[in-house]
């Protein structure tokens, strides 16, 4: 078990040790709308764990998602270090571990991981999913951002619009309607193929020029002021 096995109450107490956290953490992490199930306390809802494809400074790094943001673990030399004591200290500094938070309209409800990060000369290309609530329910779109190569906690750029959204019939209607959920990618020369779940019933593929995508990201650099 890589993700933390703590209750939501424990998470909240640690994460709010330095101040209040986003109220959405309570709303979204009451899994099944309850903090207890059959008389047992429920663990914190943690999903979308994705390793970087190589070590960074000889350390493991991975993304994970506690709604509504994407968090990051850096500088783990061995997975055995992910002890209860590690997570206790991690959540005491939780505000420092949020790598991406919802920013734009298409991702305003919450965001989460997607494809494993793709290493480029400009940075780690992250294809993730963004969600916004609508009259038809939640809409899941594919999104793109760029993280620093040496310190992936730093966001370099992010598209202010979705990379692609549910538009075809098999994306609009299915087991879960209005879903494009990126999960894997393959790069052949300059063509990046993005494989995604379509309405939770089918697997589909979209493609984009990597050079053009990186150029577009370079026009949408992140202001850290």
């Amino acid at each position: 078990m890589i993700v933390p096995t703590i209750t939501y109450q424990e998470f909240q107490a640690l994460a709010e040790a330095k101040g209040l956290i986003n109220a959405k953490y309570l709303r979204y992490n009451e899994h099944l709308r309850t903090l207890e199930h059959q008389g047992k306390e429920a663990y914190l809802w943690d999903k979308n764990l994705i390793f970087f494809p190589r070590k960074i400074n000889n350390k493991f790094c991975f993304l994970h998602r506690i709604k509504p943001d994407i968090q990051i673990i850096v500088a783990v030399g061995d997975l055995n270090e992910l002890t209860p004591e590690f997570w206790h200290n991690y959540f005491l500094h939780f505000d420092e571990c949020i790598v991406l938070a919802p920013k734009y309209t298409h991702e305003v409800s919450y965001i989460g991981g997607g494809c494993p990060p793709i290493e480029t000369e400009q940075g780690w290309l992250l294809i993730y999913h963004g969600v916004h609530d609508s009259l038809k329910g939640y809409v899941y779109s594919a999104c793109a951002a760029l993280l620093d190569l040496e310190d992936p906690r730093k966001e370099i750029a992010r598209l202010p619009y979705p990379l692609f959204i549910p538009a075809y019939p098999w994306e609009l209607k299915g087991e879960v309607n209005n879903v494009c959920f990126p999960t894997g990618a393959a790069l052949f020369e300059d063509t990046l193929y993005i494989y995604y779940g379509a309405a939770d019933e089918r697997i589909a593929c979209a493609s984009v020029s990597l050079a053009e995508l990186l150029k577009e990201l370079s026009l949408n650099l992140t202001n850290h002021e």
Side-chain angles (χ1 to χ4, degrees), residues 147-214:
L147 308 179
D148 187 83
L149 278 179
E150 296 304 316
D151 185 1
R153 292 171 297 185
K154 182 180 178 182
E155 176 187 339
I156 297 175
R158 189 188 318 197
L159 291 186
Y161 54 83
L163 193 57
F164 55 91
I165 64 175
Y168 293 105
W170 59 87
E171 299 166 343
L172 296 171
K173 188 173 179 60
E175 183 68 25
V176 180
N177 297 336
N178 303 307
V179 171
C180 288
F181 196 108
T183 55
L187 181 62
F188 293 91
E189 297 181 348
D190 182 54
T191 303
L192 180 65
Y193 295 92
I194 302 169
Y195 298 88
Y196 65 97
D200 283 18
E201 278 194 0
R202 293 172 173 81
I203 298 172
C205 182
S207 63
V208 63
S209 162
L210 178 63
E212 289 300 316
L213 177 55
L214 292 175

Side-chain angles (χ1 to χ4, degrees), residues 15 18 90-98:
K18 296 194 296 183
Y90 175 81
F91 286 123
L92 281 175
H93 302 87
F94 186 66
D95 59 322
E96 302 170 17
C97 304
I98 298 171

Side-chain angles (χ1 to χ4, degrees), residues 7-143:
T7 65
Y8 177 78
Q9 291 90 336
E10 291 171 320
F11 158 75
Q12 186 176 20
L14 292 169
E16 291 189 337
K18 296 194 296 183
L20 295 177
I21 58 175
N22 189 334
K24 285 186 176 180
Y25 278 102
L26 175 60
R27 172 187 170 192
Y28 286 134
N29 291 288
E30 289 182 350
H31 191 27
L32 301 178
R33 301 301 181 194
T34 179
L35 297 178
E36 292 189 6
H37 182 62
Q38 296 181 349
K40 297 181 179 180
E41 288 185 310
Y43 284 144
L44 180 67
W45 198 11
D46 197 343
K47 298 182 67 177
N48 304 149
L49 191 150
I50 302 169
F51 277 93
F52 283 73
R54 66 166 175 85
K55 289 184 176 181
I56 300 174
N57 298 319
N58 205 34
K59 300 289 185 180
F60 288 110
C61 297
F62 62 85
L63 303 166
H64 68 124
R65 197 280 305 278
I66 302 169
K67 284 182 179 179
D69 308 320
I70 299 175
Q71 298 84 29
I72 189 168
I73 303 289
V74 296
V76 178
D78 190 292
L79 296 185
N80 290 323
E81 296 176 21
L82 299 173
T83 62
E85 292 75 21
F86 172 92
W87 288 113
H88 183 278
N89 184 65
Y90 175 81
F91 286 123
L92 281 175
H93 302 87
F94 186 66
D95 59 322
E96 302 170 17
C97 304
I98 298 171
V99 63
L100 291 177
K103 181 188 292 188
Y104 299 111
T105 301
H106 63 278
E107 59 185 21
V108 68
S109 294
Y110 56 89
I111 60 176
C115 307
I118 300 160
E119 187 172 5
T120 74
E121 292 183 357
Q122 288 81 1
W124 292 104
L125 173 61
L126 187 63
I127 307 297
Y128 63 99
H129 73 272
V131 184
H132 75 272
D133 204 355
S134 73
L135 294 176
K136 297 179 180 179
Y138 286 129
V139 178
Y140 286 70
S141 302
C143 313

